[in-house]
Amino acid sequence: MIAITGAIGQPSRLVIETLLKSVLAEQIVAAARSPEKKLQT
């Protein structure tokens, strides 16, 4: 399991996209303090 903290914005999106090339999506968790600002894909 890989957790991405502060997962809002362009940098986090790029990190997650890169991780998805080598890790299953089910193994990634994105966490943010403000869920209403969730990562837009």
Side-chain angles (χ1 to χ4, degrees), residues 7-18 20 25 28 30 35-41:
I8 297 174
Q10 182 73 12
S12 296
R13 185 177 67 81
L14 294 174
V15 168
I16 292 169
E17 285 179 359
T18 302
L20 286 171
I28 301 173
E36 64 275 2
K37 295 181 181 180
K38 66 182 177 184
L39 187 64
Q40 300 295 316
T41 57

